Amino acid sequence: MGFHGPQPLPQRSASLEAGDVGKVRDLVAAVTGAAAPASPFALALHPFAAALLAAMPEPPAGAVLVHEALGLERPRPLPVGRALAVGGRREPSGGGETLTLEATDAGEAVARLSARVGVAPASLLARRGPVRRPDGAPALSVRVTAAQVAAYAALSGDFNPIHTDLALAHALGLPERVVHGTLLAFLIEPALYAAGITAAPVRLGLRFVSPALAGERLDIHVAADRTPGRPRVSVTGPGGALRCVADVSTGV
C-alpha cells in the first residue's frame, strides 16, 4: 500500500447477465432457504467483482488482507444484459486503503461501491469478536456451508485462500474457511424482508468485526425501531460473537 493520495483505477467493462441473475438468486435461496429471496443488492454487487478484486493490494508475507467495511448504493436497478462502465479510485485510509467504484450505464450511475481494506497479522483472523446479544429472536438464522462458499468463490472469482483452503484455515487456528464479506452482504436484504421490511434498500453500509466461518450458525437480527427507513442489522455467530453490523437506508 505504498502510495500517497488518490490514485485512479483502470476503467473496466462489466455486465449483469441473465445467467448471473439466476446464479445469484439460486445461491441466496440456498443459503437462506427462501423460495424467492430478495436480492437486488446482491445483484448490484456482481458487476463490481472483477474490478474490486483487481484493485485489492497484495499483503506482505505473514499477513492477510482484512475487509473492514463495505458500502453499496443503488440509485436505480441495474439493467440486465447491457455493458456497464466500471471505474473509480483508491486512496490511503488509516492503516489501509479505500477503494471506490461506480458502475454507469450510458453515463448514468446505476451502482456505487466503497470497500475499506487493511493488512493485519494472520493471527487476527482467529479473533472471536465482541459478544452482542440483541433482544428478541433473530429475523433469520442461516449456515453458510463450505460448498456454498466455494460456489460463491466461483461466481465472484474471489479465490482468496482464506475462503477456499481448509489446510490454511487450520494453520491459522480456524476450524473452517472464512465466509466472504460480500457473501454476508447478500444476507442483509433477505433478513430485512423476513423482519417485515419490504421497502427496497437504496443504501447499505457494513462494518466487519470478526470472521464468519463456513458451517457456523449465523443469527441475523434487525432493529427496525431506530429511525424510520433506517434499520440496523447485526450478524452474530456462536455465543453471540459479533460478525458484522449493517446500517440500511430504504429511502422511505
Side-chain angles (χ1 to χ4, degrees), residues 164-242:
T164 60
D165 189 336
L166 183 58
L168 175 63
H170 289 167
L172 296 175
L174 300 172
E176 252 298 350
R177 286 148 285 201
V178 176
V179 177
H180 300 74
T182 45
L183 179 51
L184 288 183
F186 281 24
L187 307 180
I188 303 302
E189 200 166 4
L192 294 172
Y193 196 81
I197 300 173
T198 57
V202 293
R203 293 183 185 85
L204 177 67
L206 286 94
R207 179 172 58 87
F208 299 104
V209 179
S210 63
L213 302 180
E216 71 179 11
R217 170 174 163 153
L218 297 173
D219 290 331
I220 309 176
H221 292 261
V222 178
D225 56 354
R226 301 167 62 244
T227 303
R230 294 178 180 268
R232 168 166 284 188
V233 180
S234 58
V235 180
T236 60
L242 187 62

Side-chain angles (χ1 to χ4, degrees), residues 61-90:
V64 292
L65 201 62
V66 178
H67 206 156
E68 299 173 342
L70 178 73
L72 183 64
E73 181 180 359
R74 190 175 61 94
R76 66 182 181 91
L78 269 71
V80 176
R82 288 176 61 88
L84 305 175
V86 179
R89 68 184 186 277
R90 64 195 307 166

Side-chain angles (χ1 to χ4, degrees), residues 17-114:
E17 301 297 333
D20 299 327
V21 173
K23 290 175 183 177
V24 169
R25 286 181 173 159
D26 286 349
L27 181 58
V28 175
V31 173
T32 63
S39 55
F41 260 88
L43 296 173
L45 275 168
H46 189 72
F48 288 116
L52 186 61
L53 289 170
M56 287 289 189
E58 186 70 27
V64 292
L65 201 62
V66 178
H67 206 156
E68 299 173 342
L70 178 73
L72 183 64
E73 181 180 359
R74 190 175 61 94
R76 66 182 181 91
L78 269 71
V80 176
R82 288 176 61 88
L84 305 175
V86 179
R89 68 184 186 277
R90 64 195 307 166
E91 54 191 309
S93 176
E97 61 184 70
T98 295
L99 310 173
T100 305
L101 298 165
E102 182 176 76
T104 59
D105 175 30
E108 184 176 355
V110 294
R112 300 182 182 94
L113 178 142
S114 65

Side-chain angles (χ1 to χ4, degrees), residues 86-159:
V86 179
R89 68 184 186 277
R90 64 195 307 166
E91 54 191 309
S93 176
E97 61 184 70
T98 295
L99 310 173
T100 305
L101 298 165
E102 182 176 76
T104 59
D105 175 30
E108 184 176 355
V110 294
R112 300 182 182 94
L113 178 142
S114 65
R116 192 173 74 243
V117 297
V119 169
S123 59
L124 189 65
L125 287 179
R127 70 194 190 283
R128 179 168 182 257
V131 173
R132 174 76 60 86
R133 298 187 185 280
D135 294 333
L140 195 64
S141 291
V142 303
R143 292 182 192 273
V144 184
T145 68
Q148 289 163 348
V149 172
Y152 180 70
L155 180 60
S156 66
D158 186 352
F159 292 98

